[in-house]
Amino acid sequence: MNKVPVLEIFGPTIQGEGMVVGRKTMFVRTAGCDYSCAWCDSKFTWDGSAKEDINMMTADSVFQRLKELGDNQFDHVTISGGNPALLKSIDGLIEILHANEIEVALETQGSRWQDWFVKIDDLTISPKPPSSKMKTDWSVLDDIFEQLKEHQRLNHTSLKIVVFDQEDLHFAEELHQRYPAIAFYLQVGNEDVEEAGTDQIASRLLNSYQWLIDQVMSNGRLNRVHVLPQLHTLVWGNKRGV
Amino acid sequence: MNKVPVLEIFGPTIQGEGMVVGRKTMFVRTAGCDYSCAWCDSKFTWDGSAKEDINMMTADSVFQRLKELGDNQFDHVTISGGNPALLKSIDGLIEILHANEIEVALETQGSRWQDWFVKIDDLTISPKPPSSKMKTDWSVLDDIFEQLKEHQRLNHTSLKIVVFDQEDLHFAEELHQRYPAIAFYLQVGNEDVEEAGTDQIASRLLNSYQWLIDQVMSNGRLNRVHVLPQLHTLVWGNKRGV
C-alpha cells in the first residue's frame, strides 16, 4: 500500500477556517509543498526544519492513529499540508475514512489535479494572492474546476482567498469573477505567525477582520461571498496542534 | 398588500452566526416575539421599549429601503426578529427579494410554522435551551421538520442552539439526537448583552468559546456539529445596527 508522508495528526478540534468553519474535525497534516508562501503559517511542512518528524504511514496506520486520538468522538477528518494534492496516496486514506462513515475535507492551493478530488466531501481550493509571492497557473486551475464540474462536485467545492492588502483583494475579485458559481470565502491574513501573546494576536486579527469586512461591504464585485477570520488563531494564537 | 412591522433595516454587513456565518448580507429585523428569553440580545423587539420605532412597511417599501442602503452591493437578506415566523406577511417580502435574485435567510425559534418556510434559502431554527427559561413545544417542532422534509428543504435548514452551561449542552444533545439529519450549530452564549467595552467582550466570549469547544470535543454524542462564536459581537461588541 502506498504510504503518506505525515507531519501531524491531531484533534478532535474545530475547523477554524473556510466552508466548514466551526466543524468538529480531526486533522492530518502532510509534508511537502510545491509553494513557499511568504506568510505561510506551516513553513515546517516544506522548509526542511521538521524533516525528521515526517512519518511515512499507510492509510491503515493513519486511521488507527486517528481512532487512538479521537476514539468515537469524531466523524470528520481534514487533510491539510503542505499541499496534499502532491500525493496520489491520499486516495487510500479517503477510502478507509469513507468506509468508516467519516467525512473528508481537504485544502489545497489548486496547483495540481488528483482524481481523488471528486471523492472529497468539503474541498477547499485556496489560490495564493500576490502577497504570498506565488503565481497562480490559471490553466491548471481552470482544468480543476472543469473536472469538478464534469463530476458534479461543485456543491462540495469552495474557493478561499487569504487577503492582506488591496492587491490581494483585487486578486480575489478576479477569481470570483472567473468562477462565479463557486462558494467564495475571503479570509483575514495573519501578519505575524511567530507572535506569542494570544490576546494581542486576537486583538490584531479582529482589527484586520474589521478592515476586510469594511472593504468587502462597499465592493459591489464581491457580493456572493463570506468574510471570515481564523477562529483557531483567535482562540489559541499561533500554537500548533490545536 | 399586507404590511410587516419592521424595527431595523441595516447593512450590508456580515452574518455573524450559524449556517451562513460570514456571509455578506442585509438585515431586516421584525418586531414582536412569542418568547421572552432571559438573555435575549434584542429585547427591544418585544419589551415595548422600542414600540414607537416600529414601521408598518409593505414588502415594496422594505425592498426600496434595502436598495437605498445597499445599492448593488448585496444579494442576500437575513430576516430576524423578534420572531418573524409570527408574520404571514413575510411571504410577500420573500417574493420580491427572490424576484430580484436576492437570497433570503431567516431565523426563528421553531414555535410556529409558516408555509413560506419552504421558500427560505437559509433557514435557521433555533430552539431555546433551559437557560432562556423558555419551553420548547416538541410537537410543533416535530411538525416543522416533518413539513420541511416533505418539501425537500432539509438541505436548506439548520438547527442552532445557544449554550451557556451544562444543562443547555444536554438540551443540545437531545435535539441533535431527535433530528440527526439536520445541520447542527452550537453557539456560545453572550453573558452580558449590556457590557460596553468591545475588547473585554471579545476576551470574555473567546474564553467561553474555548470552554464550549472543550465540552463538545470530548462528547461523542455531539460529532456531526459546528461550534461557533458570534463574529459580529467579537468585532463590534454589543452595538446595534452592525
Side-chain angles (χ1 to χ4, degrees), chain B residues 7 31 41-54 194 240:
Chain B
L7 259 174
D41 59 4
S42 305
K43 284 191 171 144
F44 62 94
T45 60
W46 51 265
D47 70 359
S49 63
K51 218 171 175 179
E52 319 214 319
D53 302 334
I54 300 172
E194 308 282 334
R240 256 177 72 179

Side-chain angles (χ1 to χ4, degrees), chain A residues 1-219:
Chain A
M1 197 186 253
N2 287 324
K3 293 189 174 178
V4 180
V6 173
L7 259 175
E8 291 182 313
I9 298 178
F10 61 92
T13 184
I14 52 147
Q15 167 58 263
E17 314 178 354
M19 71 192 291
V20 284
V21 65
R23 180 68 159 90
K24 187 179 186 178
T25 193
M26 302 284 298
F27 279 89
V28 176
R29 191 186 295 285
T30 62
C33 197
D34 47 333
Y35 275 23
S36 53
C37 295
W39 37 252
C40 179
D41 59 3
S42 305
K43 283 190 169 143
F44 61 95
T45 61
W46 52 265
D47 70 0
S49 63
K51 218 173 173 177
E52 318 212 321
D53 302 333
I54 299 172
N55 270 314
M56 295 304 298
M57 297 174 79
T58 61
D60 269 332
S61 60
V62 173
F63 180 63
Q64 286 316 315
R65 182 66 188 138
L66 286 165
K67 290 302 280 183
E68 263 170 51
L69 285 170
D71 195 20
N72 65 346
Q73 287 150 32
F74 70 101
D75 66 358
H76 190 271
V77 169
T78 303
I79 304 170
S80 185
N83 182 9
L86 301 179
L87 305 164
K88 218 175 160 48
S89 55
I90 296 290
D91 200 19
L93 181 55
I94 300 167
E95 289 294 325
I96 198 169
L97 292 170
H98 279 173
N100 286 276
E101 296 184 336
I102 294 166
E103 291 190 323
V104 184
L106 188 120
E107 169 139 358
T108 178
Q109 57 263 52
S111 57
R112 299 274 181 100
W113 168 259
Q114 289 284 352
D115 288 338
W116 49 254
F117 278 11
V118 302
K119 300 180 187 172
I120 298 289
D121 301 289
D122 307 307
L123 179 61
T124 296
I125 310 282
S126 183
K128 304 305 174 188
S131 61
S132 71
K133 310 291 180 202
M134 299 295 111
K135 278 245 178 296
T136 297
D137 184 331
W138 294 98
S139 70
V140 173
L141 201 57
D142 285 348
D143 180 59
I144 287 173
F145 283 111
E146 202 46 57
Q147 299 220 43
L148 289 169
K149 192 180 171 185
E150 264 171 42
H151 290 86
Q152 301 180 310
R153 300 301 293 174
L154 293 190
N155 58 337
H156 290 266
T157 307
S158 71
L159 275 163
K160 189 186 74 182
I161 315 300
V162 175
V163 175
F164 282 87
D165 53 33
Q166 292 293 345
E167 230 187 314
D168 291 355
L169 209 54
H170 187 73
F171 177 79
E173 283 175 22
E174 224 177 302
L175 262 169
H176 186 45
Q177 203 163 17
R178 195 174 184 110
Y179 312 110
I182 312 297
F184 201 83
Y185 291 79
L186 293 146
Q187 179 177 302
V188 175
N190 180 2
E191 281 177 31
D192 184 351
V193 295
E194 308 282 335
E195 191 177 346
T198 306
D199 283 356
Q200 294 91 306
I201 296 171
S203 163
R204 177 169 52 72
L205 285 179
L206 287 172
N207 279 333
S208 306
Y209 182 41
Q210 192 163 2
W211 170 81
L212 184 56
I213 293 170
D214 289 344
Q215 295 296 317
V216 174
M217 293 310 120
S218 57
N219 186 330

